[in-house]
Amino acid sequence: MSNNTDKMHEACGIYGVFSREKMDVAKYIYYGLYALQHRGQESAGIVTTDGSNFRSYIGMGLVPVVFNNESIFKDLSGNIGIGHTRYSTTGSSNLSNAQPIISNTPFGTVALAHNGNLTNISELKKEIKKKRYAFKGNSDSEVIGALLSFSRQKDLVSAITSVLKKLKGSFSIVIMTNNKVIAVRDPNGIRPLCIGKFDASFIVSSETCGLDILGAEFVREVMPGEMIIIDKKGIRSEIWKKSKDPAVCVFEFIYFARPDSVMNDRSLYHARVDMGRILAKEHPVVADYVIPVPDSGNPAAIGFASKSKIPFSDVLVKNRYVGRTFIQPTQEIRELGVKLKLNPIKQVIKGKEIVLVDDSVVRGTTSRQIVKLLKDAGAKKVHMRVASPPIIGTCHYGIDMATKKELVATNRSIEQIRKFLGADSLGYLSLEGLKEAIAIPNSPMCMGCLNLKYLA
Ligand code: SF4
């Protein structure tokens, strides 16, 4: 069983620190990446500089697995650094695709870490191959470094700007040189990025939870189309491309980002509780317990329970230590499936009507197993409630979900999905309900996979 829980997968966490004091920032980055672990579990890396030499340590696996020894940090000296946790969207999962990526450019050595996915990758690769560049890996992030290395601009900021203008798709990027950290967001701001301050250091993080772990103060988000340049003089902003259609990914609000993060001034926890509340209003039901699919369904289930006045019960117990296992189950335990991760408390469930709340359903295969698990545990009825609208399209901006054919909600009516899941009733949050729960006026979101309206 892989770590795939039939969820969409996030496409990386990025982090950067610039300290104006002579101090080593690698441990700050380590803890920042630890907080961003949910955004990518395949590899982790840190690059630092003391102003002259670049030092890097990159490996496969979770952040504490890669950085498993105090001596690693002795070699990662320097007051400037960036870090990355990877989930591969394009490019295979191996060390040559791990980040940050280091490139030699006409402006000196630069390292970069990227969250997102470029949609014009083949055309960019063709351009670079003509210049006889030898790719080390096959990730689209390496393409950004390669484009920088061939730049003919007069300075680094102009070079970055001209490279960014060639990119299509989603990208939040943090770049470091021997005296700067530069943070940029694509003109739609599809993937998040924020700035914080901690003593004499500025921090750049995919999410605010990466600031909280250090006790850093949130300064603001990097705006769509903005470039933030941090050096010893302080922080300055340039608009590298005017943003016409800001459109953060709505799944950051539904599932990807941690509930303790804040985006567009909205607490993601509160937004998710409200998704559950509105879901209860839209699809009321009589039942004995509201049960979340842990942990991502927890806030919505709390909201559903509070609105419906049905008691909340966390009786699907999650094994928190399940990571990725390559051990195949034997014939006798082939049905292991979701049981490796979740076990219901039969004594509570037996003979009861259950409302099962999840944040989203992609292929429906895991939801179907959980419904069966509850029925096998003696539940009289299982009413499935989903705190997001049906996913009817794939993502064009870097999120790994499933092929269109695999999505349970394409080409199936709600009744057909209910039958597929084996639930006694099924209700999804409406698009209007989702917007109401997110409650950010005048801040359009990308909802492409929910409404098939993709950005140009
Ligand atoms: S298509 Fe869906 S997953 Fe992709 S960016 Fe838009 S809302 Fe997010």
Side-chain angles (χ1 to χ4, degrees), residues 8 190-191 249-251 395 397 399 401 446-449 454:
M8 293 192 191
I190 295 172
R191 304 265 72 90
C249 166
V250 78
F251 268 88
C395 177
Y397 313 107
I399 296 306
M401 41 164 89
C446 175
M447 297 193 179
C449 52
Y454 294 98

Side-chain angles (χ1 to χ4, degrees), residues 342-399:
L342 297 173
N343 193 24
I345 301 177
K346 297 186 188 72
Q347 293 76 1
V348 180
I349 287 166
K350 197 161 184 256
K352 301 292 188 222
E353 291 206 22
I354 304 295
V355 184
L356 178 66
V357 179
D358 205 353
D359 57 273
S360 56
V361 172
V362 182
R363 293 179 184 83
T365 44
T366 303
S367 308
R368 184 161 69 165
Q369 289 180 51
I370 298 172
V371 170
K372 183 171 181 302
L373 206 62
L374 292 171
K375 293 231 166 158
D376 289 350
K380 197 163 124 199
K381 284 189 176 171
V382 178
H383 304 280
M384 180 93 202
R385 294 294 180 269
V386 187
S388 61
I391 300 168
I392 51 173
T394 53
C395 177
H396 297 186
Y397 313 107
I399 296 306

Side-chain angles (χ1 to χ4, degrees), residues 16 22 43 45 50 109 111 115 140 165 168 240 248 283 293 306 322 330 355 417 427 434 441:
K22 256 190 169 249
S43 65
D50 53 9
T109 309
N115 170 203
D140 56 357
K165 285 185 175 164
K168 288 192 183 141
W240 69 268
V248 67
H283 298 284
V293 176
S306 103
V322 173
T330 61
V355 184
I417 302 171
L434 177 64

